[in-house]
Structures are given as C-alpha cells and as structure tokens.
Amino acid sequence: MTAPSDARPRGTRLPRLARRRQLLAAAQEVFVAQGYHQAAMDEIAERAGVSKPVLYQHFPGKLELYLALLEQHSEALVEKQRDALESTTDNRERVQASFQAFFDFVAGDGEAFRLVFESDLRNLPAVREKLEQTLHRCAALIGEVIRQDTSISEDEAHILSIGLVGMAETSARYWLSLAGSIPKEAAEQLVARLAWRGLAGWDLTREGGSSES
C-alpha cells in the first residue's frame, strides 16, 4: 500500500474529465512502479486520493484503467509523429523529425513508452490490437508523405513506412537500454541518416540535400 505521505489529499470534488485525468495519472505511477500484475486498485485509489468506489465509478477494473492509459499514450505518439511530419516540407528534415518523435516518446517523463511498448499484457487481444493500430497509424502518416513525394505506389510506400516505424521503435528502445552511453541526439542522427540514405534513392520532389550526405 502506498505510504500516506505519497497519496493525494481526499475530499476535493473535481469535474468528471479532470477526475479521470487524475486517476489515470495515479494509475500510471503505480503501473510503472509495480508492474500491471502487482498493481492494486486500492493503491491506485490511495495514490489518487479518492475512495475505491470513486475509482470504480470511472473504471470498472484494472484492465480498463490500463487500456485507457494505453489509448492516451498511443494517441500522444501518433500526434508526435504527425507534428514531426508537418514541421517541414524538406524531406531530409522530415526523416530526422520522424525519428526524433519516437526517441522523444521513449525518453519522455513518466516512462509512458513502457506502458505502450514493453507491457507484459501484449498478448491480450485488446492490447495487441491497440499497439498494432498505433504503429500502423504512424506508418500511414509516413507512407502518405512517401507516396506524395516519390513515384512509387501506395502499397510500396506502405511497406517502406512499416519498415521505418519498426526501425524507429526498435532503435529507440535499444538506445534507452544503453543507459546514456550514446547521447540521444547522436542516436537519432545515426538511424535517421541510415533511413535517409535509403529513401534518397528514389526521385524525391523535395529532396532536402544530396543523397550522398
């Protein structure tokens, strides 16, 4: 059980949406600290400073809490990817920004990425489906840019974008496991340069510099 000093004070009435955000923040803290299977609804309620009945009014169970967190962070990752791609029309810079979005997500406060990519619930159909959907949505954003700025087909662009998303996810997670032996910016540039050298082999309408750089 969480120590009383760590719990939020009880008794404050909040609008439903604000209460939901509070409960999700508390649940994330407990899930990250304890792991999903060891986390208890009692502890989440205590951390949030509410009674268990209040917690159950918003979320009927621990899995629903987890899925709501997964949805929240999945949306955040997709939005990071969208913002990165819309931040410039220079394709070389887009590649860099796209990889940076994944590294930023992995390096972000609260270890949200662990709830998305390193959950011990990945074998559950609902969790697996959401994870796959998230990566495919990121890939769809990237694929659309590739399709627009090259002469390749939509299916070919989608295959390339799936490969790029897989590269970004895997390399960002591996970078984090190195515990700082490679600076974040250097790691981003390494994988972005690898990706750009491949993409620059096509006839890009906004190439962003020589493909030999």
Side-chain angles (χ1 to χ4, degrees):
M1 183 68 70
T2 305
S5 59
D6 293 334
R8 290 153 176 90
R10 296 189 180 187
T12 303
R13 295 185 63 86
L14 294 175
R16 184 172 181 81
L17 185 58
R19 178 68 76 193
R20 180 182 172 87
R21 286 196 295 263
Q22 178 195 39
L23 296 174
L24 287 173
Q28 178 169 317
E29 292 174 7
V30 176
F31 285 149
V32 169
Q34 305 288 346
Y36 175 83
H37 293 295
Q38 296 302 316
M41 293 292 274
D42 303 68
E43 185 172 2
I44 293 169
E46 183 72 19
R47 182 69 60 95
V50 301
S51 65
K52 280 182 67 177
V54 169
L55 177 58
Y56 281 114
Q57 284 174 10
H58 291 264
F59 301 98
K62 189 166 65 170
L63 180 58
E64 286 76 15
L65 257 175
Y66 175 82
L67 290 173
L69 275 172
L70 183 60
E71 175 70 24
Q72 173 182 298
H73 293 307
S74 294
E75 285 298 319
L77 177 57
V78 173
E79 284 305 308
K80 280 181 179 291
Q81 193 58 232
R82 180 179 287 108
D83 291 345
L85 294 170
E86 293 177 352
S87 65
T88 178
T89 58
D90 182 294
N91 282 313
R92 189 176 184 183
E93 292 178 2
R94 274 175 170 165
V95 170
Q96 178 69 41
S98 182
F99 279 93
Q100 183 180 345
F102 273 90
F103 276 79
D104 285 348
F105 182 76
V106 166
D109 293 337
E111 301 188 33
F113 84 99
R114 295 191 186 280
L115 296 172
V116 179
F117 291 127
E118 297 188 350
S119 168
D120 51 2
L121 300 179
R122 291 188 73 153
N123 289 329
L124 288 180
V127 174
R128 184 172 61 250
E129 180 180 353
K130 172 51 68 176
L131 294 176
E132 291 175 354
Q133 181 187 74
T134 300
L135 294 178
H136 277 275
R137 287 176 65 194
C138 290
L141 293 171
I142 296 170
E144 180 61 20
V145 173
I146 294 174
R147 189 194 63 78
Q148 290 175 356
D149 285 1
T150 67
S151 58
I152 67 177
S153 71
E154 183 176 349
D155 287 343
E156 289 170 331
H158 186 65
I159 289 176
L160 287 175
S161 66
I162 289 291
L164 289 170
V165 167
M167 183 192 302
E169 178 202 347
T170 303
S171 59
R173 290 172 59 193
Y174 179 71
W175 164 78
L176 193 67
S177 74
L178 297 178
S181 63
I182 299 177
K184 175 175 169 289
E185 184 176 348
E188 293 168 358
Q189 291 175 352
L190 278 172
V191 291
R193 187 177 183 185
L194 174 63
W196 172 249
R197 282 181 174 270
L199 289 171
W202 280 274
D203 183 19
L204 299 173
T205 59
R206 287 183 289 274
E207 190 170 326
S210 167
S211 62
E212 298 300 319
S213 348

